Amino acid sequence: QADSVLTQLHGCAALRSLAFQGPPVARQVGEVATQVILKAMAAFASNMPLCLEALTALELVTAAGQDCALHLGEQAGAVLQILAVLPFVITASESSQGLAEPDSPGSTGLTCRSDGAAMGPLAVALTACRALRGLLVARTSAGIS
């Protein structure tokens, strides 16, 4: 089922895993799957693990090359898609006390996967920032204001 959150989560995780193999593969992920990643993220914006996988894949695509980042930002409209997820990140963070009480124990919003990678609202927010930074650096380098 294409509309299943579990299917989309595993799809984004697979694409992220592929993109981690290096810039040539990340470039291919960007060319073939950008729209799929963005649609999954838009459809399930409140699902932090899915958004983390999707944003990590997008971050790796932006790092694959300036042309990849420009395509992602210009043709795919990734900036608006990423920004649309942030209200859900804030809500998730507040509900887990990540932003509401910064001095409380466990308030970082970070939890860890079995491989030790951080996840949770804070990890999603940081990954979104890195992906947006990659898009902005590409625009600046290309002389686009």
Side-chain angles (χ1 to χ4, degrees):
Q1 293 178 331
D3 60 347
S4 161
V5 68
L6 191 58
T7 301
Q8 296 299 318
L9 171 63
H10 286 286
C12 287
L15 292 167
R16 183 248 326 134
S17 182
L18 285 170
F20 262 126
Q21 294 180 17
V25 178
R27 180 180 298 277
Q28 288 180 326
V29 168
E31 291 170 358
V32 174
T34 293
Q35 290 302 322
V36 171
I37 294 168
L38 292 173
K39 285 180 184 178
M41 197 169 59
F44 300 103
S46 63
N47 186 291
M48 293 299 103
L50 186 146
C51 287
L52 182 60
E53 296 293 357
L55 288 164
T56 303
L58 294 176
E59 176 191 3
L60 293 166
V61 169
T62 65
Q66 180 180 351
D67 58 326
C68 293
L70 287 173
H71 171 66
L72 191 63
E74 300 295 322
Q75 278 90 28
V79 172
L80 293 177
Q81 297 278 351
I82 293 169
L83 292 175
V85 170
L86 294 181
F88 294 97
V89 174
I90 292 168
T91 300
S93 185
E94 288 173 344
S95 68
S96 69
Q97 302 299 317
L99 290 178
E101 299 178 35
D103 294 329
S104 66
S107 67
T108 62
L110 287 175
T111 55
C112 291
R113 294 189 311 217
S114 60
D115 65 359
M119 53 188 288
L122 182 57
V124 174
L126 293 172
T127 306
C129 289
R130 288 191 304 268
L132 288 169
R133 181 183 181 278
L135 295 168
L136 295 174
V137 166
R139 284 183 59 90
T140 303
S141 297
I144 302 170
S145 58

